[in-house]
Amino acid sequence: MGSALFDPLFGADRVAARLDDASWVAALVAVEVALSAAAAEQGLVPEADAERIAAVAAELDVDPAALGRAAVEGGNPVIPLVRILRQAAGEAGRSVHPGATSQDVMDTAAVLLTGWAGEIVLDDLRGAADAAAALAAAHRDTAMIARTLGQQALPTTFGLVAAGWCAGLDRARTGLACVLGALPVQFGGAAGTLAASHPHGPAVAAGLARRLGLADAAPWHTERTRIGELAGALAVAAGACAKPATDVVLLAGTELGEVSEAAPGDSSSMPHKRNPIAAITARAAARRAPGLAAVLLGAADHEHQRAAGPWHTEWQTLGELLRAGGGAAGRLRTSLEGLVVHPDRMLENLARTTTDVAAGHASDLVDSLLAARP
Amino acid sequence: MGSALFDPLFGADRVAARLDDASWVAALVAVEVALSAAAAEQGLVPEADAERIAAVAAELDVDPAALGRAAVEGGNPVIPLVRILRQAAGEAGRSVHPGATSQDVMDTAAVLLTGWAGEIVLDDLRGAADAAAALAAAHRDTAMIARTLGQQALPTTFGLVAAGWCAGLDRARTGLACVLGALPVQFGGAAGTLAASHPHGPAVAAGLARRLGLADAAPWHTERTRIGELAGALAVAAGACAKPATDVVLLAGTELGEVSEAAPGDSSSMPHKRNPIAAITARAAARRAPGLAAVLLGAADHEHQRAAGPWHTEWQTLGELLRAGGGAAGRLRTSLEGLVVHPDRMLENLARTTTDVAAGHASDLVDSLLAARP
Amino acid sequence: MGSALFDPLFGADRVAARLDDASWVAALVAVEVALSAAAAEQGLVPEADAERIAAVAAELDVDPAALGRAAVEGGNPVIPLVRILRQAAGEAGRSVHPGATSQDVMDTAAVLLTGWAGEIVLDDLRGAADAAAALAAAHRDTAMIARTLGQQALPTTFGLVAAGWCAGLDRARTGLACVLGALPVQFGGAAGTLAASHPHGPAVAAGLARRLGLADAAPWHTERTRIGELAGALAVAAGACAKPATDVVLLAGTELGEVSEAAPGDSSSMPHKRNPIAAITARAAARRAPGLAAVLLGAADHEHQRAAGPWHTEWQTLGELLRAGGGAAGRLRTSLEGLVVHPDRMLENLARTTTDVAAGHASDLVDSLLAARP
Amino acid sequence: MGSALFDPLFGADRVAARLDDASWVAALVAVEVALSAAAAEQGLVPEADAERIAAVAAELDVDPAALGRAAVEGGNPVIPLVRILRQAAGEAGRSVHPGATSQDVMDTAAVLLTGWAGEIVLDDLRGAADAAAALAAAHRDTAMIARTLGQQALPTTFGLVAAGWCAGLDRARTGLACVLGALPVQFGGAAGTLAASHPHGPAVAAGLARRLGLADAAPWHTERTRIGELAGALAVAAGACAKPATDVVLLAGTELGEVSEAAPGDSSSMPHKRNPIAAITARAAARRAPGLAAVLLGAADHEHQRAAGPWHTEWQTLGELLRAGGGAAGRLRTSLEGLVVHPDRMLENLARTTTDVAAGHASDLVDSLLAARP
């Protein structure tokens, strides 16, 4: 998951670095280490074993490709990773993976990774929103023509347009932060009954959560509403980026010319072109999100006590959706942080329709929207 | 939107009755009436006009088909409806649609309708969750085999399975209720600047919200994160229904035979069959949701100050998604409320793998899950 | 399926009239009548019975709502319809539904309906393509500026732009016609083994196909590649409409002003506006298609010998997709048939970038594209 | 695009190796080399230059990561690659990229890559279909119970079930091969008018096609029906894999036990488990396809003469869809090639419902389905 060739262009390089194979391995190992420690805390395994496992894990050099090949037989990378850890830990190996099932470790690692990558997405959403807010403040009273259904309508201000961008980005960020902050550990054991850690299961889960900085929860092996909420929040974030990105592309068009990017792309054969590449690639990334979200939302029908397919569908799709949403935010941020506004062209265009630049309540709306920022 | 032939089968008849053409007309009229009243309150139009409009509207008999044909020219049904209302109101017609643009009325009507239909969806989600909770309580200790990846694994209890269904349904309902409860009125005027109601725009919007029982908000003509959140929440709800529906279908299979529906479908040629039709059609309805949600999530890229397409895409898709999600909840409720559990078959199946029925922490988990219900 | 309020606006009224509840009933009845006749031809049932059934069916007045309510119990409308037909046919009732299962009748009826509605879609695609071709021929040499990434690039001709629209519409129509023309009858009996018509099953299927004007095929109860192909072809058609509709919206924008629609929408408050409503609603309809297609493509995983959900998912989704694709084609046709081109504005805009109007091979490409039309 | 950790598990390693960054670079370079040669053939550039470029390109070592970083400025990797090639070729550098625009090279490279990867997908579809055909032949008369809506219905044969799998896989492969075989080169120049190669453009395009083994076509920069068809065909292929994969998972369930995989996954804690991992991961891969296909189908609305976003959306999505579809085929092939059938369990299960094993026309249908294979 990730492409050195395409990730920078689509703004996904920062996010992708937290979602690559090495990050998965790191997250899986971190979960196993924390799990042994949490189990030791409850007396399920010796403290010394847990410490030994942590020490061994810190030195462990797991090749993702080898782990990937070894994952085929059992159906997930946790099975061979546990084997590797057990072997490396010697006698303490008996205390690796205590009371757990593969899904406990995969799900918790996925949550960890999502948090790591999500931080970048949130940061870029914040950056893009801040840039929009700065544009709104700077252009609170800059008159431009509002366009509805593609046609010039009545005057507005560029400040109000940018404040609307900011509002959408802020709402999307708040929603995503809320979902990310509530993602819990998974700990249920082979049948979701906490049988192998009985009666200490809930305490182990709580300890695991504390150690990993995640929320605690009852086992949710096949209760996937959280994954669906995450998918929805990421697609909403992508949509909140698609709106300003689309506006930038349209406003930067030659005939409108009301904005341009700081570093527009040129063309070897057409030096007059000023392509708003950051906004274009933000749009491109954002368009990938709804279909990816639909895959995750459609994978909610986990059968029985562990799904035979829908669960596995989530793994790569989640990474792709984080890259799409994060990429959209990253590229939009670049676009907005450097956006150059051309008030003269705005006035010139507006003059096609009216000489009156009164824009109703526009400037006041900018003030109230900016004041209400989270 | 709606089919007398298919809606009952897919559980959408109750929801569809609140989303049909007549409901749309009623919602559009209700918004216009409330808008004139809210404007009168601010002195924008005479109180007497607003009263006259309300009286006229109460008597108005608008044919949806005629309105639909008349909507083609201007691009939405509000334009001809305003014409009809103005004509019917005589001199008071001058006070119809004060300070508003078509999108104000369409969006607010869509929010109203969504609330009406959403109530049914929430009620059915609640009913399905309650039925699951009752099953969980009744079968807290009923031993059954957990199945992972389709294979018998270790013992669990049917109570824990049903408590998991309940947890997902409750979470989905809470999430959907939260989104529905925050859906606001739309009032921005032709360019989203509240120009034609200046400086009373925010007060008119607040009055409109109060009269319609909706939230207040700054104009969100092209800031569609709320629509995206609604799409996500409905698809999550559909997914929360798909999980238990899938389990019921599998557990009701001849060879497992661990549950059956109260009113299984028969077959003219095969009287021995007992098809779990309610669960089957719940699954079918649920499967429609992610693609419909993707359409709405993908329609976030509203251009300029009124989108030339993405906005219009929302109207029917929203209705279809409410019918899909609501249908899934309605049919699942029927399935679970009448679900017959066969503990003997559970024991018999379990015996293939083990004679030990100890299910770890399962019964305690049932208690804590049920105690934590919202 | 269908809305008198929205179907005209989104171009779906002609298609919807062939997909409504009454059409479904008509198709189901037509299949049963043809089936009895085809069975009689093979000696499975008396010829006189088949004739009686045909006569009775011609007089039958089935209320879709009542049939819909009766469908809930058994899970599809065929079961109660067969009951009605048997009762109406008296003694000949024994020869209703010979050797068939509900899915045989539902699938064949769905194919029939799809053909009826598909005819309209193909006709509108043809009409839109013809209009594009006429524009291409009329404006073979009309100079305009090509725009890439939203920026003015080099000269092209409007003829080449329109010829490109035509090429996409023609390809999409050819692909859709190919899929529609190959849709076969379904006849497999309760287990897909043709047991109840043995050994005449294949001959009955062939007779049924001949009578209904459909292709013949082995039972495909759970082999749904054809439904997937249909979904793909309809979504491709919608996409082929989205491209010119998007161009019309952009070219009709106030600042570009290079085209306008024959009957642009006005605005009560802004008489200067000329909204390209037909193109806008074509875009809106087209955007609904990919998500609906994804639902159908994702419903391919029919379990065992009759799917418990995925099959039922198809019924309404297919109708919605036909309405979306057909609506896009219908509205685009309206847009293009009346499109007014403004060569003066094209020249004026082009002059921003260059005074040279040489457009390379553009005019020759128009000729070759039009000459290659299917 | 690609993950060493997950690709083997999801069957995507073979496909991914033809879609990785290095393959993209190789394809881009191959297109530039062929383009210079085709242009030389028409006298647009010196033959010696073209030869020099080919020689230089053969030695060129382009780092995808560096190219990826350099792609950000101009918006695609072709711009920096042309720079690199020109520099490396010295004086012959003037003959790099003759008459072309970036999209010509990106689109043609994408088509090349798709062909390379598509070969693997077709091969695995063929392998899976052959395995299904062999199962069908071997079990032509092996009695089993047909299950409809999850319930035992009437007898069929496992041969007929497997023949149905084969039919779907064969149809999907034929459809995909047809689309793949028709994918053409892209050559249109900066505005799609072949201006910079005038009047030799069509001849250059034809030469380019011949050299790369692709079809020839008029410029299709914004006429994306082919991409939509490809998306549809890949999603249909994934669906054709999802059906047998789902059946295998269900039939391998402990209670049915009618098939098992050759190398079922075990479980460290539950040695009795025999997880059909290949079928499970085939299902998982297949479920990713419809959403990815929807992204591509929805990206048809390319604006003007080069899309500002929708085009860029295609690049990574296409790779992901090829990996999903190819992975489903690859894993299903593994599942079916090693599938162990248990006729005794089939008889035992069947006996729950009937003692009669007559399966109508089932065996004859196997013969005719196998005889009709493409």
Side-chain angles (χ1 to χ4, degrees):
Chain A
M1 281 185 286
S3 155
L5 182 60
F6 288 119
D7 281 339
L9 181 56
F10 293 108
D13 38 354
R14 285 212 301 158
V15 171
R18 295 183 174 203
L19 290 167
D20 60 10
D21 288 345
S23 300
W24 265 102
V25 171
L28 292 168
V29 170
V31 175
E32 291 288 359
V33 167
L35 181 57
S36 292
E41 207 169 41
Q42 301 306 319
L44 253 75
V45 302
E47 277 286 355
D49 280 12
E51 279 159 27
R52 172 84 188 128
I53 291 164
V56 157
E59 301 294 310
L60 209 64
D61 185 22
V62 179
D63 172 30
L67 194 66
R69 284 189 299 272
V72 177
E73 191 191 339
N76 67 64
V78 175
I79 298 172
L81 180 66
V82 167
R83 217 153 41 214
I84 292 169
L85 266 173
R86 284 193 172 140
Q87 190 158 2
E91 200 188 345
R94 64 190 171 188
S95 301
V96 169
H97 202 60
T101 191
S102 296
Q103 189 172 0
D104 292 335
V105 181
M106 280 300 291
D107 279 354
T108 306
V111 163
L112 262 188
L113 272 177
T114 297
W116 298 343
E119 238 174 59
I120 305 285
V121 183
L122 293 175
D123 181 59
D124 278 337
L125 286 170
R126 159 71 78 176
D130 286 351
L135 288 165
H139 294 280
R140 180 184 183 277
D141 305 310
T142 303
M144 71 180 283
I145 191 78
R147 295 174 180 90
T148 56
L149 309 177
Q151 306 288 305
Q152 288 201 356
L154 296 175
T156 185
T157 71
F158 181 65
L160 183 54
V161 172
W165 299 344
C166 177
L169 292 163
D170 276 341
R171 290 196 83 248
R173 180 172 49 81
T174 303
L176 178 60
C178 175
V179 173
L180 287 173
L183 288 178
V185 290
Q186 179 70 275
F187 185 65
T193 60
L194 296 167
S197 54
H198 193 56
H200 303 292
V204 173
L208 184 62
R210 199 187 65 244
R211 283 164 191 276
L212 295 174
L214 301 175
D216 189 10
W220 50 282
H221 287 159
T222 61
E223 198 286 82
R224 310 305 278 185
T225 49
R226 289 167 180 92
I227 303 295
E229 289 167 1
L230 178 60
L234 284 165
V236 167
C241 295
K243 156 66 182 161
T246 299
D247 281 355
V248 168
V249 167
L250 292 173
L251 294 174
T254 307
E255 290 82 1
L256 275 68
E258 300 185 358
V259 303
S260 50
E261 289 195 348
D266 59 345
S267 160
S268 49
S269 57
M270 297 177 286
H272 60 278
K273 290 196 65 184
R274 295 178 65 76
N275 302 320
I277 289 297
I280 289 168
T281 46
R283 285 187 87 205
R287 282 204 171 213
R288 287 165 35 75
L292 292 165
V295 172
L296 288 176
L297 288 162
D301 55 343
H302 286 224
E303 311 96 340
H304 295 305
Q305 281 62 60
R306 180 150 321 131
W311 172 45
H312 308 73
T313 293
E314 295 171 4
W315 306 344
Q316 294 195 78
T317 308
L318 191 51
E320 286 160 6
L321 181 53
L322 281 160
R323 286 170 59 225
R331 293 301 272 156
L332 179 67
R333 178 183 194 164
T334 298
S335 176
L336 297 188
E337 284 183 348
L339 202 71
V340 184
V341 181
H342 306 294
D344 50 330
R345 288 296 299 273
M346 288 178 175
L347 270 184
E348 195 184 317
N349 290 333
L350 186 151
R352 280 180 182 270
T353 292
T354 176
T355 53
D356 181 7
V357 298
H361 209 73
S363 299
D364 293 334
L365 281 170
V366 172
D367 296 342
S368 63
L369 283 166
L370 293 184
R373 286 197 68 195
Chain B
M1 281 186 286
S3 156
L5 182 60
F6 288 118
D7 280 339
L9 181 55
F10 292 107
D13 38 354
R14 286 213 299 160
V15 170
R18 296 183 173 202
L19 289 167
D20 60 10
D21 288 346
S23 300
W24 264 101
V25 171
L28 292 168
V29 169
V31 175
E32 291 289 359
V33 167
L35 181 56
S36 292
E41 207 170 40
Q42 300 306 318
L44 254 75
V45 302
E47 277 287 357
D49 280 13
E51 281 161 26
R52 172 86 188 125
I53 290 163
V56 157
E59 301 294 310
L60 209 64
D61 185 21
V62 180
D63 173 29
L67 194 67
R69 284 189 299 272
V72 177
E73 192 191 340
N76 67 64
V78 175
I79 298 171
L81 180 67
V82 167
R83 216 153 43 212
I84 291 169
L85 266 173
R86 284 191 173 141
Q87 190 158 4
E91 199 187 347
R94 65 192 170 185
S95 301
V96 168
H97 202 61
T101 190
S102 296
Q103 189 171 1
D104 291 336
V105 181
M106 280 299 290
D107 279 354
T108 306
V111 163
L112 262 188
L113 272 178
T114 297
W116 297 344
E119 239 174 59
I120 304 285
V121 183
L122 292 175
D123 180 59
D124 278 337
L125 285 170
R126 159 71 79 175
D130 286 351
L135 288 165
H139 293 281
R140 179 184 184 278
D141 305 310
T142 303
M144 71 179 283
I145 191 77
R147 294 174 180 91
T148 57
L149 310 178
Q151 305 287 305
Q152 289 201 355
L154 295 176
T156 184
T157 71
F158 181 65
L160 183 54
V161 172
W165 298 345
C166 177
L169 292 163
D170 278 340
R171 291 195 84 248
R173 180 170 49 80
T174 303
L176 178 59
C178 176
V179 173
L180 287 173
L183 288 177
V185 290
Q186 179 70 277
F187 185 65
T193 61
L194 296 168
S197 54
H198 193 55
H200 302 292
V204 173
L208 183 63
R210 200 185 66 244
R211 284 164 191 277
L212 295 174
L214 301 174
D216 189 11
W220 50 283
H221 288 160
T222 61
E223 198 286 83
R224 310 305 277 187
T225 49
R226 290 168 180 91
I227 302 296
E229 288 167 2
L230 178 61
L234 284 165
V236 167
C241 294
K243 157 65 182 160
T246 299
D247 280 354
V248 168
V249 166
L250 291 173
L251 294 175
T254 306
E255 290 82 2
L256 274 67
E258 299 185 357
V259 303
S260 50
E261 290 195 348
D266 58 346
S267 159
S268 47
S269 57
M270 297 177 286
H272 61 278
K273 290 196 65 185
R274 296 178 65 78
N275 302 320
I277 289 298
I280 288 167
T281 46
R283 284 187 88 205
R287 282 204 171 212
R288 286 165 37 74
L292 292 165
V295 172
L296 288 175
L297 288 162
D301 55 343
H302 287 223
E303 310 96 341
H304 294 307
Q305 282 62 60
R306 180 149 321 132
W311 173 45
H312 309 72
T313 293
E314 294 171 3
W315 306 344
Q316 295 194 76
T317 308
L318 190 50
E320 286 160 6
L321 181 53
L322 281 160
R323 286 170 59 226
R331 293 301 271 155
L332 178 67
R333 178 184 194 162
T334 297
S335 177
L336 296 188
E337 284 182 348
L339 201 71
V340 184
V341 181
H342 305 295
D344 50 331
R345 288 296 299 272
M346 289 177 174
L347 271 184
E348 194 183 320
N349 290 333
L350 186 150
R352 280 179 182 271
T353 292
T354 176
T355 53
D356 181 6
V357 299
H361 208 73
S363 298
D364 293 334
L365 281 169
V366 172
D367 296 341
S368 62
L369 284 166
L370 293 185
R373 287 197 67 195
Chain C
M1 281 186 285
S3 156
L5 182 60
F6 288 119
D7 280 339
L9 182 55
F10 293 107
D13 38 354
R14 284 212 301 159
V15 170
R18 297 184 173 202
L19 289 168
D20 59 11
D21 288 346
S23 300
W24 264 101
V25 172
L28 291 168
V29 170
V31 175
E32 291 288 2
V33 167
L35 181 58
S36 292
E41 207 169 38
Q42 301 306 319
L44 254 77
V45 302
E47 277 286 356
D49 280 13
E51 279 161 27
R52 173 84 188 127
I53 290 164
V56 157
E59 301 294 311
L60 209 64
D61 186 21
V62 179
D63 173 28
L67 194 67
R69 285 189 299 272
V72 176
E73 193 192 338
N76 67 64
V78 175
I79 297 171
L81 180 67
V82 166
R83 216 154 41 213
I84 292 170
L85 266 173
R86 284 193 171 140
Q87 190 158 1
E91 198 189 348
R94 65 191 170 185
S95 301
V96 168
H97 203 59
T101 191
S102 296
Q103 188 172 1
D104 292 335
V105 180
M106 281 299 290
D107 279 355
T108 306
V111 164
L112 261 188
L113 272 176
T114 297
W116 297 344
E119 239 174 58
I120 305 285
V121 184
L122 292 175
D123 181 59
D124 278 337
L125 285 170
R126 158 73 78 174
D130 286 351
L135 288 165
H139 293 281
R140 179 183 183 277
D141 304 311
T142 303
M144 71 179 282
I145 192 76
R147 294 174 181 90
T148 57
L149 309 176
Q151 306 287 305
Q152 289 201 356
L154 296 176
T156 184
T157 70
F158 181 66
L160 182 55
V161 172
W165 297 345
C166 177
L169 293 163
D170 278 340
R171 289 195 85 247
R173 181 172 48 80
T174 302
L176 179 59
C178 175
V179 173
L180 288 172
L183 288 178
V185 289
Q186 179 70 275
F187 186 65
T193 60
L194 296 169
S197 54
H198 193 55
H200 302 292
V204 173
L208 183 62
R210 200 187 64 244
R211 281 164 193 277
L212 295 174
L214 301 175
D216 188 11
W220 49 284
H221 288 160
T222 60
E223 198 286 84
R224 310 306 276 188
T225 48
R226 290 168 181 92
I227 302 296
E229 289 168 1
L230 178 60
L234 284 165
V236 167
C241 295
K243 156 65 183 160
T246 299
D247 281 355
V248 167
V249 166
L250 292 173
L251 294 175
T254 307
E255 290 83 0
L256 275 68
E258 299 185 356
V259 303
S260 50
E261 288 195 348
D266 58 347
S267 158
S268 47
S269 57
M270 297 176 287
H272 61 278
K273 289 196 64 185
R274 296 179 65 76
N275 302 321
I277 289 298
I280 288 167
T281 46
R283 284 187 89 204
R287 280 201 171 215
R288 287 165 34 74
L292 292 166
V295 172
L296 288 176
L297 288 163
D301 55 343
H302 286 224
E303 310 96 341
H304 295 306
Q305 281 63 60
R306 180 148 322 131
W311 173 45
H312 308 73
T313 293
E314 295 171 2
W315 307 343
Q316 295 194 78
T317 308
L318 191 51
E320 285 159 6
L321 181 52
L322 281 160
R323 286 171 58 225
R331 292 301 270 156
L332 179 66
R333 178 184 194 163
T334 297
S335 177
L336 297 188
E337 284 182 349
L339 203 71
V340 184
V341 181
H342 305 295
D344 50 330
R345 288 295 298 274
M346 289 177 174
L347 270 184
E348 196 182 319
N349 290 333
L350 185 151
R352 280 180 184 270
T353 292
T354 177
T355 52
D356 180 4
V357 299
H361 208 72
S363 299
D364 294 335
L365 281 170
V366 172
D367 296 341
S368 62
L369 283 166
L370 294 184
R373 287 197 67 195
Chain D
M1 281 183 285
S3 156
L5 182 60
F6 288 120
D7 280 339
L9 182 55
F10 293 108
D13 38 353
R14 285 212 301 159
V15 170
R18 296 185 172 200
L19 290 167
D20 60 11
D21 288 346
S23 300
W24 265 101
V25 171
L28 292 167
V29 169
V31 175
E32 291 289 0
V33 167
L35 181 57
S36 292
E41 207 170 40
Q42 301 305 320
L44 254 76
V45 303
E47 277 286 356
D49 280 12
E51 280 161 27
R52 173 86 188 126
I53 291 163
V56 157
E59 301 294 310
L60 208 64
D61 186 20
V62 180
D63 172 29
L67 194 66
R69 285 190 298 273
V72 177
E73 192 192 340
N76 67 64
V78 175
I79 298 171
L81 180 66
V82 166
R83 216 152 44 212
I84 292 169
L85 266 173
R86 284 191 172 141
Q87 191 158 3
E91 199 189 348
R94 66 191 169 184
S95 300
V96 168
H97 203 58
T101 191
S102 296
Q103 189 172 359
D104 292 335
V105 180
M106 279 301 289
D107 279 355
T108 306
V111 163
L112 261 189
L113 272 177
T114 298
W116 297 344
E119 239 174 59
I120 304 285
V121 184
L122 293 175
D123 181 57
D124 278 337
L125 286 170
R126 159 71 79 174
D130 286 351
L135 288 165
H139 294 281
R140 179 184 184 276
D141 304 311
T142 303
M144 72 180 283
I145 193 76
R147 295 174 181 90
T148 56
L149 310 177
Q151 306 288 305
Q152 288 202 355
L154 296 175
T156 184
T157 70
F158 181 65
L160 182 54
V161 172
W165 297 346
C166 177
L169 292 163
D170 277 339
R171 289 195 84 247
R173 180 171 49 80
T174 303
L176 179 59
C178 175
V179 173
L180 288 172
L183 288 177
V185 290
Q186 180 69 276
F187 186 65
T193 60
L194 296 168
S197 54
H198 193 56
H200 303 293
V204 172
L208 183 62
R210 200 186 64 243
R211 282 164 192 278
L212 295 173
L214 301 175
D216 188 12
W220 50 283
H221 288 160
T222 61
E223 198 286 83
R224 309 305 277 186
T225 48
R226 290 169 181 90
I227 302 296
E229 288 168 0
L230 178 61
L234 283 165
V236 166
C241 294
K243 156 65 181 160
T246 299
D247 280 354
V248 167
V249 167
L250 292 173
L251 294 174
T254 307
E255 290 83 1
L256 274 68
E258 300 185 356
V259 303
S260 51
E261 290 196 347
D266 59 346
S267 159
S268 47
S269 57
M270 298 177 286
H272 60 277
K273 289 197 64 184
R274 296 179 64 76
N275 303 320
I277 289 298
I280 288 168
T281 46
R283 283 188 88 204
R287 281 202 172 215
R288 286 165 35 75
L292 292 165
V295 172
L296 289 176
L297 288 163
D301 55 343
H302 287 223
E303 311 95 340
H304 294 307
Q305 281 63 62
R306 179 149 322 131
W311 172 45
H312 309 72
T313 293
E314 295 171 2
W315 307 343
Q316 295 194 78
T317 309
L318 190 51
E320 285 160 5
L321 181 53
L322 281 160
R323 284 170 60 226
R331 292 301 272 156
L332 179 66
R333 178 185 194 163
T334 298
S335 177
L336 297 188
E337 284 182 349
L339 202 71
V340 183
V341 181
H342 305 296
D344 50 331
R345 288 295 300 272
M346 289 177 174
L347 269 184
E348 197 182 317
N349 290 332
L350 185 150
R352 281 180 183 270
T353 292
T354 176
T355 52
D356 181 6
V357 299
H361 209 73
S363 299
D364 293 334
L365 281 170
V366 173
D367 296 341
S368 62
L369 283 166
L370 294 184
R373 287 195 68 195

